[in-house]
Each structure stands twice: as structure tokens, then as C-alpha cells.
């Protein structure tokens, strides 16, 4: 099962912007995620078409199960 961390921010235009990190570590803590999200905002690491990321909105760990089909 593939696990991803999805972090959601609000940009200067008031729109939500999602960043997805694949293969997230099993034992990641809420505090670690919050710290990284705050660093992304403080250091302007990412921007969007609606401007800089300015607010932490949410974060989720998403579990996704992929089943390959042999169709060739």
C-alpha cells in the first residue's frame, strides 16, 4: 500500500494549494508535519499562480492500494 502525505495551504488569492509527498515515513508525527509546513510558508519555498502560500489549512496521510493488471 502506498502512503502519501498531502499538505494543504491557502495562498494569497484565498485558494487552496495541495502538495503531495509520496512514500511518507511510517512514524512521521503531527509536529514534524506542522514544522515542515510552517517552514514552507516562512521560507517561501513554493509559490502558486495565486501567489505565495500563507496559511496552513490541513494535512492528511493518504493510503492508496494499487493493483497492477496484466493487459499486454
Amino acid at each position: 500500500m502506498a502512503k502519501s502525505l498531502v499538505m494543504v495551504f491557502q495562498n494569497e488569492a484565498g485558494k487552496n494549494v495541495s502538495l503531495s509527498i509520496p512514500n511518507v515515513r511510517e512514524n512521521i508525527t503531527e509536529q514534524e508535519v506542522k514544522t515542515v509546513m510552517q517552514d514552507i510558508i516562512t521560507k517561501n519555498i513554493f509559490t502558486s499562480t495565486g501567489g505565495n502560500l500563507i496559511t496552513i489549512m490541513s494535512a492528511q496521510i493518504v493510503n492508496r492500494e494499487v493493483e497492477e493488471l496484466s493487459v499486454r
Side-chain angles (χ1 to χ4, degrees), residues 8-44:
V8 183
F9 302 86
Q10 189 174 72
N11 64 19
E12 293 171 315
K15 302 291 184 184
N16 285 352
V17 177
S18 297
L19 298 173
S20 182
I21 310 298
N23 304 315
V24 68
R25 194 177 79 228
E26 285 288 330
N27 60 348
I28 194 163
T29 66
E30 289 181 14
Q31 187 57 50
E32 288 173 317
V33 173
K34 187 173 184 176
T35 299
V36 167
M37 292 178 80
Q38 192 58 54
D39 283 348
I40 289 170
I41 291 171
T42 302
K43 297 176 182 178
N44 284 327

Side-chain angles (χ1 to χ4, degrees), residues 32-69:
E32 288 173 317
V33 173
K34 187 173 184 176
T35 299
V36 167
M37 292 178 80
Q38 192 58 54
D39 283 348
I40 289 170
I41 291 171
T42 302
K43 297 176 182 178
N44 284 327
I45 294 173
F46 297 105
T47 190
S48 68
T49 55
N52 292 329
L53 307 179
I54 59 170
T55 306
I56 293 172
M57 298 302 289
S58 65
Q60 305 86 33
I61 300 290
V62 177
N63 295 309
R64 188 171 65 104
E65 188 170 331
V66 177
E67 182 178 341
E68 293 290 331
L69 300 176

